[in-house]
Amino acid sequence: KQEVTQIPAALSVPEGENLVLNCSFTDSAIYNLQWFRQDPGKGLTSLLLIQSSQREQTSGRLNASLDKSSGRSTLYIAASQPGDSATYLCAVRRGSARQLTFGSGTQLTVLP
Amino acid sequence: TAGITQAPTSQILAAGRSMTLRCTQDMRHNAMYWYRQDLGLGLRLIHYSNTAGTTGKGEVPDGYSVSRANTDDFPLTLASAVPSQTSVYFCASSRDSSGANVLTFGAGSRLTVL
C-alpha cells in the first residue's frame, strides 16, 4: 500500500527566505505527483502536477522536483512571502485518477 | 467563475439522522470524487464516479452512498450519521478518470455529528 509522508509537519520561516518542502512515497511505481495548497477552512488548490516521466515543473516562484527512484519530491518556494502561509500537501497517483494517496501536509508560516 | 460548489458549508447533525451533502461542478468534468479530511489522517477517498451513471467505492465507503444522475451533480448521502463521520468533506473533479489531469476541489463541507 502506498504511503506518503511529509516532513516536517510544520515550518516557520522569515519572509524572503527560500525554502524546501519534502514529500516521500514508498511505492515508486507512480503515474504522477501533484502539489496542493490549502488555506485554513478552504479547499485544496492545485499548484503543480509532475508526470512520472518528468523531473521538475515550475510555476512562478514555485519549483517541484520528482525523483521516482528514491521516492521523493520537493517543492521549492523562492523568496517566501507572508501570503505563502498555508498547508502544502502532496498527492501521489498510482494508476487511475481514483488511486490518489495524500500526505498529511506541511503547515508553512512565513513571518513578516 | 467555473468550479465546484458544495453545500452546506457547515452543518451540525444529530446521530442517527440522514444528511445529503451536495456537489455541483460546471466544468463538464467526467470524473468526480468525495474525500473526507481528518486531522492526522489526511484526505481519504470515500466514493468516486468516472462518468455519469457510474459510481465506485473508495478507501472508506462504509456509511456513505452516492449517485451520479448527470455530469454536473454528485451528492453524498449519510443514511444514519454517527459521530465518527464528523469531518470536513471535499468534493473534487477531473476532466477524466485517466489520472493525467489536475484535480479541482470544492471549498468543503464541515459536518459535526453529535
Side-chain angles (χ1 to χ4, degrees):
Chain A
K1 179 184 176 183
Q2 179 75 273
E3 293 182 4
V4 180
T5 304
Q6 292 185 249
I7 295 174
L11 179 65
S12 183
V13 300
E15 181 177 5
E17 190 164 299
N18 302 325
L19 60 100
V20 174
L21 305 179
N22 297 297
C23 172
S24 62
F25 46 95
T26 55
D27 186 348
S28 62
I30 66 169
Y31 190 83
N32 58 39
L33 183 146
Q34 194 166 355
W35 281 94
F36 294 89
R37 168 186 174 137
Q38 185 175 26
D39 292 288
K42 305 291 185 181
L44 282 70
T45 300
S46 179
L47 297 174
L48 291 163
L49 173 68
I50 310 178
Q51 303 293 349
S52 61
S53 59
Q54 298 175 318
R55 294 299 300 268
E56 65 179 287
Q57 280 285 341
T58 298
S59 176
R61 294 183 293 108
L62 305 179
N63 176 277
S65 68
L66 174 64
D67 184 341
K68 276 180 51 179
S69 61
S70 66
R72 293 181 181 181
S73 176
T74 62
L75 179 66
Y76 174 83
I77 302 177
S80 60
Q81 303 170 358
D84 294 330
S85 297
T87 297
Y88 292 81
L89 298 97
C90 68
V92 174
R93 192 185 309 278
R94 183 172 180 272
S96 64
R98 64 182 176 89
Q99 294 174 300
L100 192 65
T101 304
F102 284 84
S104 295
T106 294
Q107 184 177 356
L108 173 67
T109 302
V110 180
L111 303 170
Chain B
T1 303
I4 296 177
T5 302
Q6 289 187 236
T9 303
S10 180
Q11 182 75 44
I12 298 174
L13 188 66
R17 300 296 295 267
S18 66
M19 175 77 193
T20 295
L21 303 180
R22 299 184 298 278
C23 173
T24 300
Q25 54 103 358
D26 59 5
M27 298 172 286
R28 307 304 294 172
H29 282 177
N30 284 314
M32 297 187 74
Y33 317 86
W34 274 105
Y35 290 90
R36 59 178 290 174
Q37 185 176 34
D38 302 288
L39 193 63
L41 296 176
L43 278 88
R44 294 178 293 169
L45 182 66
I46 305 171
H47 284 286
Y48 67 94
S49 169
N50 288 337
T51 190
T54 69
T55 62
K57 294 181 179 180
E59 181 183 356
V60 288
D62 294 342
Y64 306 96
S65 64
V66 292
S67 62
R68 187 89 184 276
N70 56 60
T71 298
D72 299 343
D73 301 300
F74 191 43
L76 177 73
T77 297
L78 290 69
S80 180
V82 295
S84 63
Q85 292 177 310
T86 294
S87 187
V88 181
Y89 291 86
F90 289 100
C91 180
S93 71
S94 59
R95 186 173 300 175
D96 58 45
S97 60
S98 69
N101 302 296
V102 166
L103 212 60
T104 301
F105 280 81
S109 294
R110 182 176 295 275
L111 180 65
T112 302
V113 182
L114 302 176

